[in-house]
Amino acid sequence: MRLVKLTLLAASLSSAMAFAAPEHTVPYFPNSQYRADAASVPQLLGHHFGERISEPADISRFFELLANRYPDQIKLVPYGKSWQGRPLFYAVIGSAANIANLANIEAGMRQLADPASVSIPEAKQLIASMPASVWIASSLHGNEISPADGAMALAYHLVSDSSALTQQILSNTLVYIDPLQNPDGHHRFVSRYYATVGLEHSPDRLSAEQNEPWPNGRTNHYLFDMNRDWISLTQPEIASRVKAMQQMYPLIFVDSHEMGGDMGYYFSPEAEPYNPHIQANQRSVLQNVGQNNAKWFDELGYDYFTREIFDAFYPGYGASWPLYYGSVSMTYEMASARGHHYRMQDGTILTFADGIQRNFVAFKSTLESASNQASQLLENFYQYRLNASKLGEKDGIRSYLFAADRDRAGHQKLMGVLTQHGIAVEQAQEPFRACGKEYQTGSYIIRTNQPSYHLMRTLLDDTVPMDEAFIAKQEQRRANNLPDQIYDVTAWSLPLMYNLEMQRCNQAPRFASNKVGPETVLAGSVTNPEGKYGFVVPWGDMAAARFLSGALQQGLSLRSSDLAFTHQNGSRYPAGTLVLSRANNPENLTAKITELALQSGAHVEGLDSSWITEGPNFGSNNVPAVPAINIAMLWDEPTNPLSAGSARFVLERGINYPVTAIRPAQLRNADLSRYQVLILPATGRGNYQQALSASGQQNIRQFVERGGVLISLGNATSWLIEGENPLLNSKQEYQVSEQEKLATTAKVPGKVLAEQTDAEQMLKPYQADPDWVPGFIANATVDENHWLTAGIAPQLRSLYVGNQIYQPLRISDGRNVVSFAGPKTLLAGGFVWEENRQQIAHKPLVMVQAHGRGQVIAFTQEPNFRAYVDGMHLLYINAVFRGAAHAGALR
């Protein structure tokens, strides 16, 4: 085939000012030979690559046209939808023979993924006969724009180029292209970007084009950073992608991102620390792929760097999760123009086209690496899965056991999520005994002799240890007042974050059991549906919270007990239990209760009488009515989008209760009389003092005094303690230090520094903030005698991130309802600096202070962090609904 010269891009994209722009079209790869009958890019896309940022609809249409033109080489597979209903899909590209045999190839990968299902000779035959596979995942962050167009450029190139290298790749490598992982955020970015463009695109970093309005395009509809969601699977975009990937287990996974516009290009190998469950041969492949990328970047004159940032420790990244099923996954990061042009610090103009081209070259180079070692990648994958099962047999931990004697909904959700990850979970259908303990019917067991052993250990262990040499290096940096190099949280144990008790056992007992499915919510039940008095719903899990939400929205009348009680029938019910009498509700109450139970997963019990033998009667002031409420939440600058999004998500998608978002400008003089609860998310840039002004702050104070409930999340608590008459009478602490205030004289008394540590102590400033904690799981103790903690376990686990430490409230001012545990038991999982561990101990996690008829409830840490600290969610629900029940607003 003769080489077809494509139309050159606009002169602005190839000018001398461009960022090392090649004198070629985009995409360009050396020795390419485009077929004479190849469609032009404008025919498929409407413009050349780099001339316009493609909208989600444009990307979908491009792939549809490409697949219609080359049906023997491309197959499009829809696998889900975003929150806003936009399609999620991937394209599979390969030779005509491989595409025709795609179903068998993917079935073969599933066989290799389950070594028990295939004999060794059969596995060897599969390895010898099957192609490699590479999954290119683009633009998980919606404002990282060049990966999506780079993925389109790759797809176009693969079906249009007849060069020997491309044909080799297609013959023994299946290429899976997921061009746009976050269509909602991408649409938000593109539409807002073009709304700011004037006569010409501005490269100035001060321009509106380079500064996105809140909440920017990084996040999805619910403002989640989905590159942290791969362990918790809270968002449909990630959960459906994980399900899709387990149909073919791609051998190499590339997660393509963008970073700051002055930073060049980053590819593997990743930075330290590495998660210890990543195997040596996986790291070797990362090294090989990086070296091959470097070869092509050198040839084309593109700068790059490796190993300095973006570690491989936290498993919740897209570039991490596939490592734990046996793939090799990696992060690619391109300097972002965040539009068409960006002026770098040295004056060079970086263009959108530059990003597309560099991503395309990195993708093509990676495909070459996979093609050159296809059999080895398949062998590595099979051995990884086979050895993982054997490790589970040899390990001192033969099983993880969950008694499931409380929080039925939490256990069901966790087991459903683990099943979605590909981990086999069983539920006992009879009592059994293991490791000296009796387990009842309904308990769960996870056996460790599974191919998913490494993922299982990564998700279930309290702590995945970081390399000691790496920690020592971070301590040294801290001593020299340098930032640490820990990129993300150091703990993510799902059982700890769900606040569930798990036992590790060196036995794997056998008993009658059922395999657990991927469902996270099961239908509830109603016993004694014709109870003469009415119904009770035991409180203590999110199923009961979903029932409460549904009942209030259907106009049912209910109460919630502040105290535990024993009924005449002999049953003991926990604090928080909901009470619905027939006398105060419609005649069709049974039908409504039954429907709500099925939808929510709650267990409901009918009562024939209201007689209580211990605890408060239902007419007591200790059993207040729970009103239907309107919830307002501060939205827009200066709120942190991640905090606002997760706080809204837990209410709207966790229990199906609506939230009204209000911008600070409206809140300054808004009539808040229609609302009973106001939530202040954590702040990002800026502060509430400036955003709300004096009038807004006064409006909020009056809202509380009239009977409203004000809830602060994370660092928003610092706003409550400001001023002469604060809403919360706590104080934020400085770091514990022996440093004295600097003298005003030029000379001071001498001091002997006997040790290096003495000198390091003098380096610390006077009244410094505590050191930043990247994120560990902390134990906390619960005041079970307060209405806010109804139905909450005596011990909670919270993720602790940041450096804000608050003094406890005096008893005359309010209550410290949940406090961090003592220094010896504070650390539940992960890593924390020793000084912080000592200072955080016994400090408040949740405080309550009354004002007038209302109250302030302060969470000093985020209860909804990434929406995956599930064990904190019911406390948050209590703050909203039980807080309103205990406020004195006139109704």
Side-chain angles (χ1 to χ4, degrees):
M1 294 287 182
R2 65 185 178 88
L3 178 65
V4 177
K5 183 178 180 181
L6 298 178
T7 305
L8 293 175
L9 293 176
S12 63
L13 298 182
S14 59
S15 67
M17 287 295 290
F19 178 64
E23 295 299 324
H24 307 287
T25 58
V26 177
Y28 169 76
F29 201 86
N31 302 315
S32 297
Q33 297 176 349
Y34 286 97
R35 296 198 296 258
D37 63 348
S40 71
V41 173
Q43 284 178 306
L44 299 167
L45 188 58
H47 54 81
H48 291 289
F49 289 123
E51 286 185 333
R52 185 173 179 84
I53 306 165
S54 300
E55 276 270 22
D58 299 329
I59 296 170
S60 295
R61 184 169 56 252
F62 171 87
F63 276 95
E64 289 167 0
L65 291 173
L66 206 62
N68 288 337
R69 190 175 183 90
Y70 304 100
D72 294 339
Q73 289 187 263
I74 303 180
K75 179 180 179 182
L76 300 186
V77 182
Y79 66 87
K81 289 187 177 181
S82 69
W83 280 118
Q84 294 177 8
R86 293 186 172 87
L88 301 169
F89 70 93
Y90 60 83
V92 193
I93 302 178
S95 67
N98 283 337
I99 294 299
N101 195 36
L102 182 62
N104 291 330
I105 293 170
E106 293 184 345
M109 283 302 301
R110 293 194 293 273
Q111 284 183 284
L112 292 180
D114 183 13
S117 70
V118 60
S119 68
I120 293 178
E122 290 172 330
K124 288 182 177 180
Q125 176 60 32
L126 287 170
I127 290 168
S129 63
M130 291 202 309
S133 53
V134 178
W135 183 295
I136 305 292
S138 295
S139 298
L140 183 63
H141 297 138
N143 58 1
E144 297 176 2
I145 50 179
S146 66
D149 279 71
M152 288 193 290
L154 177 67
Y156 175 80
H157 175 83
L158 290 174
V159 297
S160 304
D161 177 38
S162 61
S163 70
L165 176 56
T166 296
Q167 296 313 302
Q168 173 198 321
I169 289 170
L170 294 176
S171 69
N172 71 346
T173 308
L174 282 170
V175 184
Y176 292 82
I177 298 179
D178 190 349
L180 187 56
Q181 300 180 83
N182 180 5
D184 294 350
H186 191 71
H187 170 74
R188 186 189 312 133
F189 171 83
V190 177
S191 61
R192 291 182 173 191
Y193 173 80
Y194 283 115
T196 66
V197 174
L199 182 63
E200 60 182 17
H201 297 282
S202 172
D204 194 329
R205 62 183 69 206
L206 297 178
S207 69
E209 294 163 60
Q210 297 293 336
N211 293 275
E212 300 174 67
W214 192 96
N216 74 46
R218 180 180 179 89
T219 55
N220 71 343
H221 171 76
Y222 267 102
L223 308 187
F224 275 66
D225 182 341
M226 293 190 291
N227 205 30
R228 305 297 186 273
D229 192 56
W230 287 74
I231 59 175
S232 50
L233 309 183
T234 67
Q235 302 304 295
E237 296 92 339
I238 300 299
S240 55
R241 189 167 298 119
V242 163
K243 182 179 180 181
M245 289 175 64
Q246 290 177 79
Q247 296 304 303
M248 78 291 292
Y249 293 97
L251 297 170
I252 289 181
F253 182 93
V254 175
D255 200 17
S256 183
H257 291 264
E258 287 187 335
M259 55 188 171
D262 298 298
M263 296 183 70
Y265 201 99
Y266 172 92
F267 48 70
S268 60
E270 278 66 24
E272 297 285 351
Y274 274 76
N275 190 301
H277 289 287
I278 299 172
Q279 304 302 293
N281 61 8
Q282 292 175 301
R283 296 186 64 169
S284 177
V285 174
L286 288 170
Q287 185 80 15
N288 292 338
V289 170
Q291 286 181 316
N292 197 58
N293 290 349
K295 176 190 74 174
W296 289 109
F297 270 54
D298 286 347
E299 178 167 333
L300 293 167
Y302 303 157
D303 291 332
Y304 68 89
F305 68 101
T306 68
R307 295 174 285 104
E308 294 180 36
I309 50 178
F310 310 121
D311 65 35
F313 185 68
Y314 175 65
Y317 309 132
S320 294
W321 182 84
L323 285 159
Y324 306 102
Y325 71 64
S327 172
V328 178
S329 55
M330 56 204 74
T331 297
Y332 288 0
E333 298 267 358
M334 170 63 200
S336 181
R338 281 295 192 275
H340 282 252
H341 302 86
Y342 177 79
R343 180 177 289 107
M344 302 171 68
Q345 287 182 341
D346 63 2
T348 302
I349 300 298
L350 172 68
T351 71
F352 176 44
D354 292 327
I356 298 172
Q357 172 63 17
R358 281 153 183 72
N359 281 320
F360 161 71
V361 171
F363 298 161
K364 178 78 181 283
S365 171
T366 304
L367 297 182
E368 180 186 34
S369 296
S371 176
N372 288 339
Q373 50 186 327
S375 294
Q376 188 61 57
L377 289 171
L378 286 159
E379 177 70 25
N380 289 352
F381 173 77
Y382 171 67
Q383 291 297 331
Y384 179 100
R385 306 284 291 185
L386 183 65
N387 293 337
S389 297
K390 293 177 180 178
L391 274 173
E393 290 283 1
K394 298 176 183 178
D395 199 333
I397 304 173
R398 296 292 307 283
S399 62
Y400 293 97
L401 299 168
F402 295 80
D405 49 8
R406 67 168 184 84
D407 194 355
R408 173 178 175 269
H411 278 91
Q412 177 59 44
K413 182 180 178 183
L414 175 58
M415 301 308 153
V417 167
L418 293 174
T419 301
Q420 291 173 38
H421 277 294
I423 297 170
V425 182
E426 302 168 48
Q427 187 171 29
Q429 299 303 299
E430 62 182 359
F432 67 94
R433 180 177 177 83
C435 288
K437 182 174 179 178
E438 302 290 338
Y439 290 86
Q440 300 302 310
T441 299
S443 299
Y444 297 92
I445 183 171
I446 303 171
R447 305 179 193 278
T448 56
N449 61 339
Q450 299 185 36
S452 56
Y453 167 84
H454 291 291
L455 179 60
M456 180 194 315
R457 291 293 306 270
T458 299
L459 297 181
L460 297 181
D461 286 356
D462 293 351
T463 298
V464 175
M466 282 189 288
D467 183 72
E468 291 184 4
F470 175 79
I471 290 296
K473 179 182 177 182
Q474 305 318 303
E475 291 284 12
Q476 186 59 47
R477 290 180 63 86
R478 199 164 62 100
N480 287 286
N481 200 30
L482 295 172
D484 67 70
Q485 296 168 315
I486 302 174
Y487 192 72
D488 209 283
V489 297
T490 66
W492 51 80
S493 167
L494 291 181
L496 289 181
M497 293 198 300
Y498 277 62
N499 206 43
L500 302 178
E501 300 307 315
M502 178 185 73
Q503 292 75 42
R504 296 163 181 82
C505 183
N506 60 6
Q507 303 169 12
R510 295 292 171 183
F511 46 81
S513 65
N514 289 338
K515 187 176 180 180
V516 174
E519 300 80 14
T520 56
V521 177
L522 295 180
S525 62
V526 181
T527 59
N528 189 22
E530 301 304 324
K532 296 178 181 178
Y533 171 77
F535 301 90
V536 291
V537 183
W539 193 248
D541 63 20
M542 290 293 282
R546 287 189 290 269
F547 181 96
L548 169 65
S549 169
L552 291 176
Q553 291 180 78
Q554 289 200 24
L556 300 185
S557 176
L558 49 80
R559 293 176 173 270
S560 176
S561 179
D562 290 344
L563 304 172
F565 60 89
T566 302
H567 189 262
Q568 185 182 28
N569 62 16
S571 297
R572 183 75 173 170
Y573 297 95
T577 293
L578 306 177
V579 181
L580 299 93
S581 69
R582 291 191 182 278
N584 295 323
N585 280 293
E587 291 185 2
N588 61 345
L589 181 62
T590 298
K592 287 182 174 292
I593 290 291
T594 302
E595 179 185 11
L596 287 170
L598 289 173
Q599 293 173 350
S600 66
H603 174 62
V604 185
E605 298 179 31
L607 298 181
D608 290 319
S609 78
S610 65
W611 189 250
I612 304 301
T613 60
E614 183 182 350
N617 294 100
F618 297 156
S620 164
N621 286 338
N622 286 312
V623 189
V626 181
I629 60 174
N630 292 318
I631 304 170
M633 178 181 294
L634 209 59
W635 199 252
D636 211 332
E637 295 282 6
T639 64
N640 182 326
L642 303 179
S643 175
S646 61
R648 189 176 192 176
F649 173 84
V650 169
L651 290 168
E652 291 196 341
R653 299 296 174 173
I655 65 168
N656 305 309
Y657 205 90
V659 174
T660 300
I662 301 179
R663 304 185 196 279
Q666 278 67 51
L667 201 60
R668 292 174 185 174
N669 300 295
D671 178 5
L672 296 176
S673 61
R674 292 186 59 252
Y675 296 95
Q676 291 74 42
V677 176
L678 173 61
I679 299 171
L680 302 182
T683 57
R685 296 177 296 181
N687 57 69
Y688 284 137
Q689 289 92 328
Q690 182 179 5
L692 293 169
S693 74
S695 61
Q697 295 176 59
Q698 182 61 25
N699 197 20
I700 291 176
R701 177 178 289 276
Q702 291 174 354
F703 162 79
V704 175
E705 291 175 348
R706 289 195 301 264
V709 179
L710 179 64
I711 301 172
S712 69
L713 307 178
N715 68 16
T717 300
S718 64
W719 177 70
L720 302 180
I721 64 176
E722 296 290 336
E724 295 182 2
N725 185 24
L727 285 166
L728 186 71
N729 289 333
S730 177
K731 298 292 183 184
Q732 199 172 324
E733 294 186 350
Y734 289 116
Q735 183 183 68
V736 175
S737 175
E738 298 177 3
Q739 276 295 91
E740 299 176 355
K741 189 174 182 180
L742 291 176
T744 57
T745 58
K747 290 187 176 182
V748 297
K751 187 173 184 180
V752 174
L753 302 178
E755 302 289 343
Q756 177 63 29
T757 53
D758 296 332
E760 291 175 354
Q761 181 65 30
M762 289 193 68
L763 298 178
K764 295 181 179 180
Y766 172 69
Q767 291 189 335
D769 288 332
D771 284 344
W772 184 270
V773 175
F776 73 100
I777 299 176
N779 285 315
T781 57
V782 174
D783 179 354
E784 297 181 81
N785 296 314
H786 195 277
W787 53 260
L788 181 59
T789 63
I792 306 300
Q795 177 174 282
L796 274 178
R797 281 91 175 214
S798 168
L799 202 70
Y800 190 104
V801 179
N803 64 348
Q804 292 192 334
I805 302 174
Y806 291 86
Q807 291 184 345
L809 286 176
R810 293 184 177 86
I811 195 67
S812 57
D813 293 322
R815 294 279 288 277
N816 305 292
V817 177
V818 184
S819 300
F820 289 108
K824 292 183 179 179
T825 58
L826 175 71
L827 182 63
F831 175 81
V832 60
W833 314 117
E834 177 60 21
E835 296 90 337
N836 293 73
R837 184 177 69 86
Q838 296 287 341
Q839 189 174 353
I840 293 168
H842 301 301
K843 300 298 167 52
L845 173 58
V846 183
M847 296 176 277
V848 180
Q849 182 170 337
H851 280 278
R853 294 198 296 267
Q855 54 208 336
V856 171
I857 303 174
F859 289 83
T860 63
Q861 287 290 316
E862 286 273 7
N864 310 305
F865 186 83
R866 297 176 181 169
Y868 65 17
V869 191
D870 282 64
M872 289 289 292
H873 291 172
L874 191 64
L875 188 64
Y876 174 57
I877 301 301
N878 277 358
V880 172
F881 291 94
R882 304 203 87 249
H886 280 268
L890 298 177
R891 302 185 181 94

